[in-house]
Amino acid sequence: MTKNGDISFDIEQPDLRGLLSSLKEINPKLVTRLRRELRQSGDEITQAQKRKLREGGGSSTGLRDRIAQGLKTRIVAGKTRQGIDVKTTGPKVGGYNLARIMQATTFRHPVFGSSEWVDQSGHPYFFEPATNEVRDLMRNRIEAAIEAAVAEAAKTK
């Protein structure tokens, strides 16, 4: 987990950036295919999160649907950080990311149209779907995608 509450974990590959660079030299299509597979593995987590959001029942404000729309997967292969990030981009209202507030066990908010504040139960959706079997499936899929790309590169060389 990162400091801003997003999910992130490292691929157990010593150098994703180097791997992508090497594959690009051999065949750029291998990089495209591998990145697609890596993104799809992260999308498995976002799908689990979206299912969890739908479990909460109907919402007259559409907040759960807007949170689901903000879930994104990103491949990071920089000099200092490498891996797959699953993030939420919102929705944001008044400078607050409502997706992060909804993740809390409880949160306080003003009652509509008044100055009275109330406690409300949150609906944690972000970490739970990604911490058990989905994360393990994702990790296995990533390993298989990397192995397949390396094997294909070895045939091409």
Side-chain angles (χ1 to χ4, degrees):
M1 290 181 260
T2 61
K3 66 180 177 184
N4 60 5
D6 298 328
I7 294 173
S8 180
F9 65 87
D10 295 328
I11 297 173
E12 293 185 18
Q13 172 68 30
D15 181 13
L16 178 61
R17 183 177 185 193
L19 173 64
L20 293 173
S21 177
S22 296
L23 290 174
K24 187 174 183 178
E25 288 177 18
I26 296 168
N27 183 346
K29 290 182 180 182
L30 290 174
V31 174
T32 302
R33 193 176 319 141
L34 178 58
R35 280 186 170 274
R36 185 179 312 121
E37 282 293 319
L38 295 176
R39 256 190 317 277
Q40 287 173 348
S41 67
D43 290 344
E44 290 176 14
I45 285 181
T46 60
Q47 292 305 316
Q49 292 169 330
K50 288 175 184 180
R51 283 191 300 274
K52 186 76 172 169
L53 282 164
R54 284 193 296 267
E55 285 175 7
S59 173
S60 61
T61 63
L63 177 59
R64 294 170 196 266
D65 291 336
R66 293 185 307 169
I67 289 171
Q69 290 171 354
L71 294 168
K72 307 285 182 220
T73 302
R74 186 175 76 133
I75 308 304
V76 180
K79 289 181 181 179
T80 59
R81 206 167 68 75
Q82 301 176 19
I84 298 174
D85 287 346
V86 177
K87 295 183 175 263
T88 178
T89 59
K92 293 179 181 162
V93 175
Y96 295 100
N97 186 331
L98 295 181
R100 293 207 177 112
I101 292 171
M102 180 78 148
Q103 172 64 25
T105 306
T106 60
F107 58 94
R108 289 184 55 76
H109 66 87
V111 175
F112 182 72
S114 76
S115 60
E116 180 184 349
W117 285 70
V118 295
D119 289 330
Q120 181 174 335
S121 295
H123 187 76
Y125 66 92
F126 201 82
F127 297 108
E128 184 179 318
T131 56
N132 300 321
E133 68 278 350
V134 176
R135 181 182 57 206
D136 293 337
L137 290 171
M138 181 179 170
R139 193 169 276 141
N140 292 341
R141 183 174 176 167
I142 290 167
E143 288 172 5
I146 289 172
E147 287 174 13
V150 170
E152 183 70 25
K155 288 181 199 174
T156 307
K157 245 182 164 180

